[in-house]
Amino acid sequence: MKLIRLSKFLEKVRNDLGVQLLTLYSLFVIPIVIGALYFDQVAGDRLRHEIMGSDLALARAIAQETNTIMENALLAVDQLAAYPAVEDIRTAEMLDIFENFQAGRPDVNLVYRLGADGLMIAHYPVGPLTTVGTDFSFREYFQRARQTDRAFVSLGRISPTTEQPVATAVMPIWRGDVFLGVVATNIKLQSLSNTLESITSEYQQDSKLRVVILDGGGKVIANPDPDFLLTDYLSLQPELAAAVLGGSSGSQVAQDEAGTEALFSFVPVPSAGWGVVISRPTAVAFATPNAFHRGVLLMSSVFLMIGVFFWAVLNNRVLSPLETLAAYSQQMGREVAGPREVDALDSLCERSDQLGHLVRSFRRMESAIHARIQELATLLETSQAVVSSLDSQVVLNRILEQVERLLGIEKSAIVALDDRRGVFVAKASRGLSSRYAEGLMISPDESTSVTMRALHTGEPIVIQDTQVDPSFEIYRPRAAAEGYRAFAAIPLQTQHANPAALVLYSPEPHVFTENYIGLLVNFANQAAMAIENAELYSHSDARLQEQTRRLEALIQSLDVGLVLEDLEGRVLYVNRSISEMVHIHGDQLIGSSVVKLYQRLLNASLAREEDLGKVKALLDENTEQEISLSLEIGAHHRIFRLKGFTVNDSAGMLLGRGQILQDITRDYELDRMKSSLIATVSHELRTPLAAIKGYATTLLADDVDWEEKAQEEFIQVISDEADRLSELVNNLLDMSRIEAGNLVLARRFCDLREVIERGVSRAYPNPGERIVYEFPEEIPIIEADPQRLEVVIRNLVENAAKYAQNDLPIRVRVVVQESQVVVRVEDEGPGIPEQNHNQVFQSFYRMENGLTRRTPGVGLGLAISRGFIAAHHGEIWLEPKSHGTIVAFSLPLSPAARIEGRDK
């Protein structure tokens, strides 16, 4: 989804100038604003860190100064404890030491010595108020002194002697392991506050800066405000006080006790365990970075406002006018602009800058486009009118009609070459007198003719005034007689049609402008195309019709059935073979359902129900498969192959489907014959070979001496079976020659009676006395191959002897007709059904009944007989008979025999 949105945005950026400029402006402004904000952030952070570092440095300076003071104080008490008078408590000497010490330390307001029991032994100054003898063992610092031998600073408190806030520098006094008390000095906390006040006044005159020093208990022991001394700061800022007293230093922003956000900087005082805290409101501390931040925001806002103003001006002065101009350019030439668009364009036209110049140019362009569109529309209408017919004369007349409509020319003509006469004549004219039009004949070699000059140069030639143009002088009388003063000849650029020119006549002098001539040339090109189309059509139509007739004759002559159907299963075309099979003319089948066509075909051919199912499956699946159909065509049984195919165009688009119905009966029979040949020949060869092998083996037996008579019988059987085997082989060879078409006859004049008798005598089984001859008194001599005819007679008689009962006669009758002789062999056997009359003459065909299965044979006798008779140019057939069979064949008589018969 994100990619789709990004793609749409990029496409809009590519197609919209405003979006492009806005994007470029954003790419310019946004980085600047982001850079300014980033600089503000970085610079502000740096300024804040510098301010925080400055405050932290101040806190460190104060802490260092305080640490130095406290180290001096601790060093001082350590030195005081080293005096023997102080250690041994020699009061007078000790007070002198205290006096001298205080004189050099104005920050100390009291120096004193406590005993081991915590009683005040002495202090200086003595003052009117004295605490000598007072027990101070309860003090925190006294309890702490008993635990250490080092100097330290106590927590802040109010001194009861001076009644001032002080912090005590304490030094425990030990003599070995014996605690002798402490010597201590009270440091005036006010002096530290004064020091802080002077430091802060030198650092910054801003009174909002507050510096406090905390003791180890978290109380304020130094602050310029006396009232704030000894305040429990730990309760006011517990986290900050705990951090600084824990030895940490740093800066942080937090709420002060008044609830104001403030910057706190804190540094510990390591020598005393104290801490220094500096604080001031963040509004004061960060005034400079805040002012810088406000300045950056102000500059960014001003920059953005300037950008918005610039964009508004750019949009108002450039982008909006460009959008108006773009919308105007898109509808230019297609629709009329509305009143608002016109007013906007008028206001833009008044501008004196480049945009105004551009709008004015667009206005001029629009006027030119409208004029050109009007001209093209007129030419288009002219072209449609001209090419609406392909009749040459109609096209020429319509061209002249459009000339009058388009150009307002009332007189015009089309001059073209007349092939028969070899001159240019007016093929069509409009507005001209018949005398002028019929008399307009121009020789191609006539150099003075304006029309010929235009045709030779290929450029239009214009005579604006025939009365003053010198090149038209010899034609002025004819122009005056016809009544025209201006003349124009425009050649028609034709390639396949004869050269031609469009000739225009004007009754008044006419100035042909360049645009007008260009319009004439365009119109002439349209007219030339129309003439070319008509001329090409006249030639291509005749050629197409001839090709269509040839293709139709070819398809109709095919010996296979052809059906073409559309994608909805309707018949588009059938050839003659299909029409004859369904007994319906092909035109009546067009548009009908292809399924119904095949139903009618199968019903007319007595097809099986399963064949109809196979056809429907083939049509439904629309595949290029093939199926076999068993049909009865007339009185013949035929096997057909139905193969589907698809019809596609050059791009592979499916246009329709079709089926081819092919008679494969012969192929089917050849397959059947091959199978029968293998089965029958293997059986028929086995019988004589078995007999020959058996009798030969018997004769060769060593343990038996056969009688001479028995040996002769065995040898005779072997000879007969060998003859039978030889006859079978000869039959196969004869059948092979017949089917191959290379059978050669040894013709000679012979006696038909003798041929018939020899054929009967060689029949096996021999009919003997059953044979009955019925010959005419005179049988003419025939020219034939006697051996082939003997085979025919023998085969016919053998079939009669095999299938008729032994006591029934077999008749051989000969009938002589005018041009042929007919021989009939008739028996009284079971006969052959009429539906099998044609099949019995096929190779290896034997009827399926009990008698044929008991009778030896391979089914070649009648087939060979038919081949031999056909080679003699005769015919063989079965004649109908109620009981028995009549096989007849005819032989043509030679011309000599026919003459001899007529003479007799």
Side-chain angles (χ1 to χ4, degrees):
M1 183 63 70
K2 293 182 179 179
L3 291 176
I4 294 176
R5 292 177 180 174
L6 179 61
S7 177
K8 291 182 178 179
F9 174 75
L10 293 177
E11 184 177 359
K12 189 173 183 180
V13 168
R14 288 194 298 268
N15 299 333
D16 195 320
L17 178 60
V19 176
Q20 293 177 10
L21 292 177
L22 181 60
T23 303
L24 292 175
Y25 178 74
S26 301
L27 293 176
F28 171 73
V29 171
I30 292 176
I32 293 178
V33 174
I34 293 176
L37 295 178
Y38 176 76
F39 176 76
D40 172 54
Q41 180 69 27
V42 173
D45 290 344
R46 179 170 294 180
L47 287 174
R48 288 182 180 88
H49 283 91
E50 290 179 355
I51 291 171
M52 294 169 68
S54 175
D55 286 6
L56 188 61
L58 177 61
R60 283 196 179 99
I62 295 172
Q64 186 175 1
E65 182 69 20
T66 304
N67 188 62
T68 301
I69 294 172
M70 298 315 297
E71 285 179 349
N72 292 332
L74 293 175
L75 180 62
V77 296
D78 185 56
Q79 292 175 351
L80 286 173
Y83 285 100
V86 176
E87 180 178 355
D88 296 335
I89 312 178
R90 294 193 293 270
T91 305
E93 296 180 11
M94 184 172 59
L95 289 175
D96 291 337
I97 294 172
F98 287 171
E99 182 180 4
N100 294 329
F101 177 81
Q102 188 176 13
R105 295 295 299 269
D107 58 326
V108 177
N109 64 358
L110 184 65
V111 184
Y112 58 93
R113 172 75 162 82
L114 298 179
D117 54 1
L119 295 178
M120 176 68 72
I121 297 175
H123 61 76
Y124 184 88
V126 177
L129 297 176
T130 182
T131 56
V132 175
T134 305
D135 186 6
F136 289 99
S137 61
F138 64 90
R139 293 291 187 186
E140 173 269 337
Y141 64 84
F142 185 80
Q143 299 297 327
R144 183 178 175 188
R146 297 176 67 90
Q147 306 296 326
T148 182
D149 59 354
R150 295 180 179 276
F152 61 89
V153 180
S154 70
L155 300 177
R157 70 188 187 283
I158 299 297
S159 172
T161 303
T162 62
E163 296 182 352
Q164 294 179 356
V166 297
T168 303
V170 181
M171 179 62 193
I173 301 175
W174 294 80
R175 183 175 292 165
D177 294 335
V178 178
F179 179 66
L180 299 179
V182 298
V183 61
T185 62
N186 286 345
I187 302 171
K188 296 186 290 185
L189 297 182
Q190 186 61 43
S191 64
L192 292 177
S193 299
N194 294 336
T195 301
L196 294 179
E197 184 175 4
S198 64
I199 291 175
T200 54
S201 62
E202 292 177 1
Y203 178 77
Q204 188 176 12
Q205 297 299 323
D206 190 350
S207 61
K208 291 185 179 181
L209 178 68
R210 187 171 67 175
V211 183
V212 297
I213 299 177
L214 307 179
D215 63 6
K219 291 183 179 181
V220 178
I221 59 174
N223 186 264
D225 186 4
D227 297 333
F228 199 59
L229 292 176
L230 298 180
T231 302
D232 188 5
Y233 199 80
L234 190 62
S235 62
L236 297 179
Q237 297 289 341
E239 294 181 0
L240 190 145
V244 69
L245 294 178
S248 299
S249 64
S251 300
Q252 68 179 34
V253 176
Q255 299 287 333
D256 61 10
E257 57 273 13
T260 303
E261 184 181 74
L263 172 63
F264 293 88
S265 299
F266 50 92
V267 178
V269 181
S271 62
W274 293 354
V276 177
V277 179
I278 296 178
S279 66
R280 54 176 171 165
T282 55
V284 176
F286 297 145
T288 300
N290 289 340
F292 180 78
H293 177 66
R294 288 191 297 272
V296 170
L297 291 180
L298 179 62
M299 287 190 298
S300 299
S301 301
V302 171
F303 183 73
L304 289 175
M305 291 177 63
I306 292 175
V308 171
F309 175 75
F310 172 76
W311 177 259
V313 173
L314 179 66
N315 184 67
N316 182 62
R317 295 291 296 173
V318 178
L319 295 181
S320 294
L322 285 179
E323 290 180 358
T324 302
L325 193 59
Y328 172 67
S329 65
Q330 289 179 355
Q331 68 182 12
M332 186 183 298
R334 294 185 297 178
E335 55 186 43
V336 181
R340 295 178 59 184
E341 290 81 357
V342 173
D343 293 341
L345 291 173
D346 290 340
S347 63
L348 292 176
C349 285
E350 296 174 358
R351 291 174 56 169
S352 59
D353 55 9
Q354 291 88 343
L355 193 59
H357 177 71
L358 181 62
V359 174
R360 290 189 292 273
S361 299
F362 265 83
R363 281 291 184 86
R364 292 190 296 270
M365 186 186 301
E366 182 188 23
S367 300
I369 289 175
H370 277 299
R372 180 62 61 185
I373 289 176
Q374 184 66 28
E375 180 179 312
L376 291 177
T378 305
L379 285 176
L380 180 60
E381 293 178 5
T382 300
S383 176
Q384 291 175 347
V386 168
V387 302
S388 60
S389 175
L390 292 175
D391 183 82
S392 300
Q393 193 59 43
V394 173
V395 167
L396 296 178
N397 291 330
R398 287 185 178 176
I399 290 174
L400 298 181
E401 291 176 4
Q402 294 304 315
V403 167
E404 181 178 350
R405 176 179 175 274
L406 177 64
L407 306 175
I409 301 296
E410 297 181 357
K411 294 183 178 183
S412 58
I414 292 180
V415 177
L417 179 63
D418 188 332
D419 292 327
R420 185 174 57 84
R421 290 183 286 181
V423 295
F424 284 84
V425 298
K427 292 289 186 178
S429 63
R430 188 174 182 85
L432 296 175
S433 63
S434 57
R435 177 184 57 80
Y436 184 87
E438 293 174 357
L440 186 60
M441 289 185 293
I442 309 172
S443 172
D445 300 329
E446 189 174 339
S447 59
T448 58
S449 170
V450 178
T451 303
M452 289 299 101
R453 296 207 315 267
L455 285 172
H456 292 326
T457 60
E459 299 292 336
I461 296 180
V462 174
I463 304 298
Q464 296 183 357
D465 191 347
T466 59
Q467 297 297 322
V468 298
D469 194 307
S471 64
F472 206 78
E473 182 177 359
I474 60 176
Y475 300 107
R476 287 174 186 171
R478 186 166 61 180
E482 189 60 26
Y484 62 86
R485 289 285 300 274
F487 180 88
I490 302 94
L492 303 180
Q493 304 296 333
T494 57
Q495 295 181 358
H496 304 282
N498 287 338
L502 175 63
V503 183
L504 306 178
Y505 305 87
S506 175
E508 300 295 334
H510 187 78
V511 177
F512 294 89
T513 63
E514 183 177 352
N515 290 336
Y516 192 86
I517 295 176
L519 184 60
L520 287 177
V521 172
N522 290 333
F523 180 82
N525 293 334
Q526 296 286 339
M529 285 189 292
I531 295 174
E532 290 275 80
N533 291 339
E535 189 69 21
L536 290 174
Y537 173 76
S538 62
H539 293 294
S540 62
D541 183 59
R543 185 179 301 174
L544 180 60
Q545 290 181 3
E546 179 63 24
Q547 292 177 350
T548 302
R549 286 194 297 268
R550 291 179 180 178
L551 182 60
E552 178 74 14
L554 175 63
I555 296 176
Q556 292 291 349
S557 301
L558 292 176
D559 59 353
V560 297
L562 175 63
V563 178
L564 297 178
E565 59 172 306
D566 59 16
L567 297 177
E568 284 73 30
R570 294 188 297 267
V571 176
L572 294 176
Y573 180 80
V574 294
N575 66 351
R576 186 185 304 127
S577 298
I578 296 295
S579 300
E580 292 175 351
M581 294 177 70
V582 298
H583 307 295
I584 298 177
H585 194 273
D587 294 339
Q588 299 177 2
L589 295 173
I590 304 302
S592 62
S593 171
V594 70
V595 176
K596 293 182 179 180
L597 168 64
Y598 282 106
Q599 286 178 343
R600 184 180 291 110
L601 172 63
L602 296 177
N603 292 334
S605 304
L606 303 177
R608 297 170 297 180
E609 188 67 26
E610 62 183 31
D611 287 341
L612 180 59
K614 292 192 294 184
V615 173
K616 289 183 177 179
L618 176 65
L619 297 177
D620 292 340
E621 294 176 1
N622 294 325
T623 58
E624 298 182 3
Q625 298 179 351
E626 60 182 42
I627 59 175
S628 296
L629 302 175
S630 179
L631 306 179
E632 298 292 336
I633 305 300
H636 304 288
H637 181 75
R638 292 285 185 268
I639 305 298
F640 286 87
R641 178 193 294 117
L642 181 64
K643 179 177 178 58
F645 63 91
T646 58
V647 180
N648 303 313
D649 61 8
S650 59
M653 180 69 69
L654 181 64
L655 300 179
R657 303 177 184 89
Q659 299 86 37
I660 294 177
L661 188 65
Q662 182 179 8
D663 188 348
I664 60 171
T665 305
R666 179 173 176 80
D667 297 337
Y668 179 82
E669 289 299 327
L670 286 176
D671 292 340
R672 185 190 61 80
M673 287 166 56
K674 292 176 183 178
S675 300
S676 299
L677 174 63
I678 295 172
T680 304
V681 170
S682 62
H683 177 269
E684 292 298 326
L685 288 176
R686 190 181 297 115
T687 301
L689 287 174
I692 293 172
K693 178 64 175 178
Y695 281 103
T697 303
T698 301
L699 290 174
L700 293 174
D702 296 334
D703 55 346
V704 180
D705 291 331
W706 298 101
E707 296 179 358
E708 184 178 352
K709 184 176 181 180
Q711 291 180 1
E712 291 179 356
E713 291 179 358
F714 292 166
I715 293 173
Q716 185 61 46
V717 171
I718 292 174
S719 177
D720 293 340
E721 292 301 329
D723 291 339
R724 181 180 175 187
L725 183 60
S726 177
E727 179 183 354
L728 177 59
V729 172
N730 288 333
N731 287 339
L732 292 174
L733 292 175
D734 288 338
M735 194 68 237
S736 176
R737 294 189 185 98
I738 291 172
E739 293 186 349
N742 56 9
L743 180 64
V744 179
L745 298 180
R747 290 179 177 269
R748 61 186 178 84
F749 291 102
C750 56
D751 188 346
L752 183 58
R753 181 193 300 270
E754 294 178 358
V755 173
I756 293 174
E757 290 176 349
R758 284 198 303 270
V760 171
S761 64
R762 295 178 180 177
Y764 180 85
N766 194 280
E769 296 180 355
R770 298 168 57 193
I771 193 72
V772 177
Y773 296 107
E774 295 183 7
F775 295 142
E777 294 181 359
E778 296 291 339
I779 299 179
I781 302 299
I782 62 173
E783 185 178 7
D785 187 336
Q787 291 184 354
R788 307 298 187 187
L789 293 183
E790 288 177 12
V791 172
V792 173
I793 297 297
R794 188 190 68 212
N795 289 337
L796 300 182
V797 173
E798 282 181 354
N799 285 340
K802 289 178 183 178
Y803 298 110
Q805 298 180 9
N806 294 334
D807 56 347
L808 296 177
I810 298 174
R811 293 183 176 84
V812 179
R813 291 186 292 176
V814 178
V815 177
V816 179
Q817 298 178 353
E818 181 177 358
S819 60
Q820 63 182 4
V821 59
V822 179
V823 179
R824 292 180 174 86
V825 178
E826 179 180 355
D827 63 55
E828 301 295 334
I832 299 174
E834 186 175 355
Q835 63 268 21
N836 300 116
H837 280 191
N838 289 328
Q839 293 173 312
V840 296
F841 290 102
Q842 297 176 1
S843 301
F844 304 105
Y845 179 81
R846 303 192 74 199
M847 293 174 54
E848 294 295 329
N849 54 42
L851 183 58
T852 56
R853 285 193 293 268
R854 294 192 302 268
T855 304
V858 295
L860 291 177
L862 291 179
I864 292 174
S865 299
R866 182 182 62 177
F868 287 171
I869 296 301
H872 285 83
H873 305 292
E875 296 182 2
I876 187 169
W877 67 90
L878 286 175
E879 293 184 351
K881 190 174 187 296
S882 60
H883 184 72
T885 302
I886 300 177
V887 182
F889 65 87
S890 64
L891 295 172
L893 293 175
S894 63
R898 289 200 296 270
I899 294 172
E900 182 182 355
R902 284 197 298 270
D903 293 341
K904 291 182 179 180

